[in-house]
Amino acid sequence: MKAVVWQGVNRMGVETVPDPQILQPTDAIVRVTKTAICGSDLHLMDGYVPSMVHGDIVGHEFMGEVVEVGAEVRKVKVGDRVIVPFPIACGKCWYCQKGLTSLCDNSNPNPGLAEKFWGYSPAGLYGYSHITGGYAGGQAQFARTVYADANLYKVPEGLTDEQVLFLTDILPTGYMGAEHCNIHGGDVVAVFGCGPVGLFGIASAFLLGAERVIAIDRFPERLEMARSYGAETINYEEENVFERLREMTGGRGPDSVMDAVGLEAQAHGFLGVADAVKQTTRVLESDRPHALRAAIMACRKGGTVSVPGVYGGLADKIPVGAFMNKGLTMRTGQTHVHRYLDTLTGHIQRGEIDPTRIITHRLSLEEAPHAYEIFKHKHDGCIKCVLDPWADPKDHAPVK
């Protein structure tokens, strides 16, 4: 089959690889009908997530049709249309029983590696390094899925692939990020980053009762889309974000602030340069936390900082003094996708949220290297790329 593989830092390629096979009686094989590139895939591409190996199949946003099941699979059958949550749940451990599926105790076969970095191991993740299990991802024509009964979510009749594809990750991630904001009626929520997660965070904040959402980014097409969701916007290249947020909230600051950027945040001035230099060493600093710093400083006293943006290692100059002295609460974590699927599917069915709005590019799997380049460099107004593993490729000029 064809699959997108990591070929080294800044190199994603499409290769012919062996078809997946049933390895455990709880496995299922899915014929992938749609897959997508996530912003966190760029962290793999850029080399900021350790333990990647040449040839690893990437991708954790995918869905399709079940074509084979293991002997112990009972809840799904051949022919079912399913989405595949990116964190893998066993369905039986203490964390899964409490709905904390991204913290599953049993799905990461490499817990010792994760424990060296984080103390305890989170769940296994599809297509996201050997720290989280080394599972083959779903930017491919077929994918092996594990603990099929606990993970594969059947798509209700009447919904298209594109309507449900983002239930695999970014829609629940934005929703959980908004839920973590502890929103009450009349609240003002600020969102750093208007990529796909930030946009779904904006939409979710309104669904959960926010009165105003203020979105911060620098790309005109992303700010425009944020405004289309009802957000007020700040271009951080044109305005002082802290001062503008204070002004827009009558001097108090936003009630909650969401960092939907993560470890590759951009910053100007000395601190931005210092972050970039230190990050190249992977030792002095592995993450660039400018958005997190800004979120902590901008949040009102007693407010909440929500961090759906991905961080992986060490970050410097975090204003812990501001965090403590303002009495802030921080909530974060990989998304417990499974707990939100019914709720968000209902919102989609009722027309209360349209996930397809963020799709700007539809390409074939063969065009994945081009898709990664335009997504990474924000070329051609790219906000979200969806890949069809069975479509014919087109010719594209090289991205400069």
Side-chain angles (χ1 to χ4, degrees):
M1 69 171 182
K2 296 291 187 181
V4 183
V5 302
W6 189 83
Q7 297 178 331
V9 177
N10 288 319
R11 291 179 58 205
M12 294 293 195
V14 178
E15 297 181 3
T16 300
V17 302
D19 291 344
Q21 297 180 339
I22 298 285
L23 300 180
Q24 299 292 334
T26 51
D27 291 351
I29 304 298
V30 172
R31 178 185 182 272
V32 180
T33 54
K34 288 291 188 295
T35 183
I37 300 173
C38 180
S40 56
D41 289 325
L42 298 181
H43 306 327
L44 302 179
M45 181 182 182
D46 294 341
Y48 295 127
V49 179
S51 79
M52 290 295 292
V53 177
H54 188 290
D56 283 347
I57 300 172
V58 298
H60 57 270
E61 296 179 0
F62 63 102
M63 66 164 298
E65 178 186 345
V66 176
V67 294
E68 186 180 357
V69 296
E72 296 180 11
V73 175
R74 299 288 182 265
K75 295 181 181 179
V76 294
K77 63 184 185 300
V78 171
D80 284 343
R81 285 177 69 221
V82 295
I83 66 105
V84 185
F86 81 91
I88 302 168
C90 74
K92 297 180 179 179
C93 72
W94 187 88
Y95 292 98
C96 287
Q97 290 295 304
K98 292 187 174 294
L100 306 173
T101 51
S102 73
L103 303 175
C104 175
D105 253 344
N106 295 322
S107 61
N108 186 354
N110 300 326
L113 191 57
E115 288 163 2
K116 290 179 181 178
F117 284 89
W118 303 319
Y120 294 89
S121 172
L125 310 179
Y126 287 107
Y128 213 76
S129 86
H130 292 265
I131 293 179
T132 57
Y135 290 99
Q139 288 174 16
Q141 292 178 312
F142 294 91
R144 171 190 170 232
T145 62
V146 300
Y147 299 113
D149 281 341
N151 291 281
L152 301 186
Y153 185 79
K154 295 180 186 178
V155 178
E157 291 291 331
L159 295 178
T160 67
D161 283 4
E162 289 187 352
Q163 283 180 294
V164 298
L165 173 61
F166 302 140
L167 288 170
T168 58
D169 177 4
I170 55 173
L171 179 51
T173 297
Y175 190 88
M176 190 171 100
E179 186 180 77
H180 278 176
C181 286
N182 190 31
I183 295 169
H184 297 87
D187 275 4
V188 179
V189 179
V191 178
F192 280 85
C194 297
V197 168
L199 291 168
F200 284 143
I202 292 166
S204 299
F206 281 123
L207 281 174
L208 292 172
E211 181 173 310
R212 298 168 62 203
V213 179
I214 304 170
I216 301 106
D217 207 298
R218 64 183 173 125
F219 293 99
E221 62 274 11
R222 293 186 173 209
L223 292 168
E224 166 102 22
M225 191 167 286
R227 286 190 289 270
S228 78
Y229 277 98
E232 304 160 62
T233 59
I234 298 173
N235 185 327
Y236 69 79
E237 288 190 330
E238 298 176 356
E239 300 182 85
N240 181 299
V241 174
F242 178 84
E243 294 297 336
R244 185 73 178 114
L245 283 172
R246 186 156 60 177
E247 176 185 315
M248 295 172 76
T249 56
R252 189 174 68 179
D255 298 287
S256 54
V257 183
M258 189 186 306
D259 169 8
V261 181
L263 66 85
E264 292 191 69
Q266 301 293 325
H268 300 298
F270 172 78
L271 203 54
V273 173
D275 279 340
V277 171
K278 285 185 290 185
Q279 193 180 44
T280 61
T281 70
R282 306 295 196 274
V283 175
L284 293 174
E285 185 176 49
S286 61
D287 302 358
R288 298 196 304 265
H290 181 70
L292 180 58
R293 295 182 190 122
I296 291 171
M297 294 302 293
C299 191
R300 70 158 170 84
K301 294 178 288 186
T304 301
V305 175
S306 170
V307 188
V310 171
Y311 289 88
L314 303 173
D316 198 7
K317 302 291 190 296
I318 304 296
V320 290
F323 182 78
M324 181 269 170
N325 285 285
K326 290 199 296 178
L328 302 182
T329 297
M330 183 181 294
R331 300 193 67 187
T332 186
Q334 295 284 4
T335 308
H336 310 304
V337 169
H338 307 69
R339 73 193 302 178
Y340 300 109
L341 291 176
D342 288 339
T343 297
L344 290 171
T345 298
H347 283 306
I348 295 168
Q349 289 174 313
R350 293 188 295 272
E352 294 163 350
I353 190 166
D354 177 12
T356 67
R357 285 178 58 186
I358 70 167
I359 302 172
T360 54
H361 291 72
R362 296 170 173 86
L363 302 168
S364 71
L365 189 75
E366 294 272 11
E367 298 168 283
H370 172 76
Y372 268 93
E373 288 297 319
I374 61 172
F375 185 44
K376 174 179 176 176
H377 298 291
K378 315 298 188 292
H379 285 214
D380 194 30
C382 184
I383 294 175
K384 188 66 177 180
C385 292
V386 171
L387 304 176
D388 184 336
W390 305 96
D392 293 327
K394 306 178 188 71
D395 293 326
H396 296 280
V399 175
K400 296 181 180 179

